[in-house]
Amino acid sequence: MTDQWVALEPGADPDERARALRRAHETFTTAGTVPRPVRAVVAESWRRSARAGVGPDGTASVELTDDDLGAYRAEHPLAQVMPLVRELVGTFAADGSHLLAVCDAHGRLMWVEGHPTTLRRADRMNFVPGARWSEAAVGTNAPGTAVAVDRPVQVFAAEHFIRRVQPWTCAAAPIHDPHTGRVLGAVDITGGDGLAHPHSLGFVQAVARAAESQLSLLTPPRQAENTVTLSVLGRDEAELRPSGGRGIRLSRRHSEVLMLLARHPEGMTGDELLCALYADESVTPVTLRAELARLRPLLPPGLLASRPYRLSLPVECDASLVERQLETGALTAAIRAYRGPLLPNSQAPAVMGLRRRLAAALRTALITRGDPDLLADWAHASWGEHDLPVWRALAAVRPTAPVRARIAALEAELAVPETPSRRRVRQTPWVTSGATYPQRPPV
C-alpha cells in the first residue's frame, strides 16, 4: 500500500496536519492551486470535484427514503454480505466513536450504522442512508472517492472537499463482483482522528476482500455450466471458450459475427448483420449465409440460432466487461482488463465504430483522471505509443526526461508531411472512423 493512500504518517501530529490542510484547502478554493502538503490522491480528487461543480459549502442530497430505500437495499447484491460486514466492523461502530457505512457503485449510501450520538452528528451533514456521497456530488470523501478511483483510500480532516465534513476522518475500500470485477459499492468507517492510521485503511480493505469472498460463495456464476466467453481485445482472431471446454479460435469474419451477436442478445436480422459487417454494398446476402453456414459447425451445438440470428446462451465478451467497468467508474480495473484494441484490423463498419468508441472512452477517462501510473500503462502499450494527448497528460503529472523526450519525438513526427503509406502505418485503431450502414435487401 503506497504512502499516497495513507492519510497520516505514524508519529505525525494530527492537529498540525489538520491546520496545514485547512490552509491548503483555502488556497485551492480561492486560487485553484494545490500546495505541496496535499497528497496526490487528494489533489486529484479536489480537481475532479471542482470540475464537477462541487462547492466547498455544499451538502449531500437524500435521493431515497422509506419504502424506496428499503426496496433498493433488499435487491442490492451487497445486502447478502451485510451480516458479515457488521460482524467484522461491529467493534468500531459499537464504541460510539465510529460509523459503519456501505454505499453502492454510484456513491449512494445504503447503510449507515453506529452509536445513536454519532449518528445524530452525521445526520447534520446528511451522512444518512439514501444520500448520494459520490465524488461528483459532494467532492472528496472516502466512500465516494474509493468508488471513483477503485482503490482503498483514507480522507483526513480538511482533505474533505466540503467544509462541514472536515471534522471527520474516514477510510473506505471498494467491493467488487467476484465474477465480473464490476464495482458494487464500498465499505466505509467514519469517525475521528483515530482513524487516520495505516491500520484503519488495511482493516477496511480486509473487510472488503472478505465481503467479496463471501459473495463468491453466495452467488456462483450465473449458469456456470453453460458459460461461454469471447475474447476480442488485442487480437484479430477471437477465441470462444465454452465452460470446461477448449478454446475455439475463429477466423476474422467469424470473430466479427460472434462479437456482434454477443452484443445483441435480442438477435440481429440478416439485413442488420450484412450492413454491420460489410462496407462494400456489392456483397450479397448469399455471402453472409455462406459465412454463417461455415461458422455454425465450429460452435457448441445449438449456440447459433436464426430468425433472427442470435446466440442461444449468454456470451461474456471481454470488451463488454471493460465497458461495464468504465460505466461504474472502475477505471483501474478497466485498464487492467483492456488487452488492446477490439479486433484491431477488422474493417467491418460496426466493429470499427465499437473499437473507436471503446478506446476513446478509455482515453477520455484516463486523461480526466490524471493518474500517472494508469497513463503510463497506456502510453507504453503498443496501442498508446503514438497517442500524443495521453503522453502530454502523463507529462503534466510525471514530467520526467524520457516522457518529455517522447513528446518531442511525436511532435516532430507530426510535423513531417505524411505519404499515404506512412499514414496507413501510423493510423491507430481507436481513431478509425465508423461508418453509416446502407440499406440492403433482406437476407
Side-chain angles (χ1 to χ4, degrees):
M1 189 176 299
T2 59
D3 291 343
Q4 71 160 322
W5 307 105
V6 178
L8 195 64
E9 296 180 359
D13 184 339
D15 293 334
E16 181 180 342
R17 176 68 173 165
R19 286 192 293 270
L21 286 170
R22 283 195 294 270
R23 292 192 296 269
H25 184 270
E26 186 65 22
T27 299
F28 179 77
T29 55
T30 56
T33 57
V34 183
R36 184 177 296 275
V38 180
R39 295 179 292 147
V41 64
V42 175
E44 293 160 8
S45 177
W46 281 3
R47 296 187 185 103
R48 291 194 300 271
S49 303
R51 287 196 297 267
V54 179
D57 296 314
T59 189
S61 61
V62 178
E63 298 182 345
L64 292 174
T65 59
D66 302 331
D67 292 343
D68 290 338
L69 175 62
Y72 183 73
R73 289 195 296 201
E75 296 174 359
H76 198 277
L78 293 182
Q80 303 174 83
V81 296
M82 278 306 297
L84 173 66
V85 172
R86 290 187 182 103
E87 180 180 353
L88 294 174
V89 190
T91 56
F92 282 90
D95 67 4
S97 300
H98 307 300
L99 297 175
L100 159 66
V102 174
C103 72
D104 65 10
H106 305 289
R108 185 189 293 114
L109 298 179
M110 296 186 292
W111 291 273
V112 180
E113 302 175 359
H115 193 278
T117 300
T118 312
L119 287 171
R120 283 193 293 271
R121 288 181 55 214
D123 285 349
R124 292 196 287 270
M125 61 178 182
N126 270 1
F127 195 78
V128 295
R132 183 179 291 275
W133 277 75
S134 67
E135 197 179 71
V138 294
T140 308
N141 71 93
T145 300
V147 168
V149 301
D150 192 20
R151 291 179 180 176
V153 63
Q154 277 180 327
V155 180
F156 170 68
E159 289 181 334
H160 288 94
F161 195 78
I162 290 183
R163 292 190 179 97
R164 69 177 60 196
V165 190
Q166 292 177 354
W168 299 79
T169 293
C170 46
I175 303 174
H176 304 86
D177 183 310
H179 307 302
T180 68
R182 181 171 60 95
V183 173
L184 298 175
V187 58
D188 166 83
I189 50 176
T190 290
D193 293 348
L195 290 178
H197 190 284
H199 291 169
S200 301
L201 189 59
F203 171 69
V204 77
Q205 186 175 14
V207 173
R209 299 295 83 80
E212 291 172 350
S213 297
Q214 181 82 344
L215 279 172
S216 69
L217 297 174
L218 296 174
T219 57
R222 186 166 56 108
Q223 295 184 342
E225 69 279 5
N226 292 321
T227 300
V228 181
T229 60
L230 181 68
S231 301
V232 297
L233 294 177
R235 53 194 305 156
D236 285 319
E237 296 182 333
E239 182 182 76
L240 185 75
R241 184 175 292 276
S243 177
R246 298 180 60 183
I248 303 169
R249 187 171 179 176
L250 303 170
S251 70
R252 183 179 301 175
R253 183 62 75 196
H254 291 165
S255 301
E256 295 163 348
V257 171
L258 262 293
M259 195 275 296
L260 291 171
L261 292 180
R263 291 185 63 87
H264 294 275
E266 75 282 2
M268 299 179 71
T269 66
D271 180 44
E272 290 169 335
L273 262 179
L274 195 63
C275 294
L277 290 169
Y278 300 98
D280 184 357
E281 294 187 43
S282 66
V283 176
T284 66
V286 173
T287 300
L288 176 60
R289 285 197 290 266
E291 286 286 3
L292 293 170
R294 286 191 288 269
L295 171 61
R296 184 171 276 108
L298 301 177
L299 304 177
L303 180 61
L304 178 59
S306 56
R307 297 184 181 179
Y309 295 110
R310 65 193 186 280
L311 300 176
S312 59
L313 295 174
V315 173
E316 181 64 55
C317 182
D318 54 355
S320 298
L321 171 61
V322 172
E323 288 178 317
R324 290 198 303 272
Q325 291 167 331
L326 268 181
E327 288 170 0
T328 60
L331 180 57
T332 301
I335 294 298
R336 289 173 180 166
Y338 187 73
R339 304 300 181 191
L342 188 158
L343 299 178
N345 288 314
S346 170
Q347 297 300 306
V351 175
M352 291 165 61
L354 291 169
R355 180 173 64 226
R356 172 180 53 82
R357 289 194 295 274
L358 178 59
L362 283 165
R363 294 174 67 253
T364 299
L366 275 172
I367 293 171
T368 301
R369 174 75 59 84
D371 184 300
D373 294 330
L374 297 181
L375 286 165
D377 287 345
W378 183 279
H380 291 290
S382 60
W383 54 86
E385 58 184 353
H386 293 288
D387 196 335
L388 183 56
V390 168
W391 280 98
R392 285 173 172 163
L394 177 59
V397 293
R398 185 176 285 170
T400 63
V403 172
R404 291 195 295 267
R406 181 58 181 161
I407 291 173
L410 288 174
E411 290 174 340
E413 284 186 42
L414 291 173
V416 177
E418 290 189 334
T419 64
S421 61
R422 177 180 171 85
R423 187 177 299 113
R424 283 194 297 271
V425 170
R426 282 179 41 80
Q427 187 179 38
T428 54
W430 57 266
V431 296
T432 305
S433 62
T436 57
Y437 308 149
Q439 294 296 315
R440 295 182 180 271
V443 178

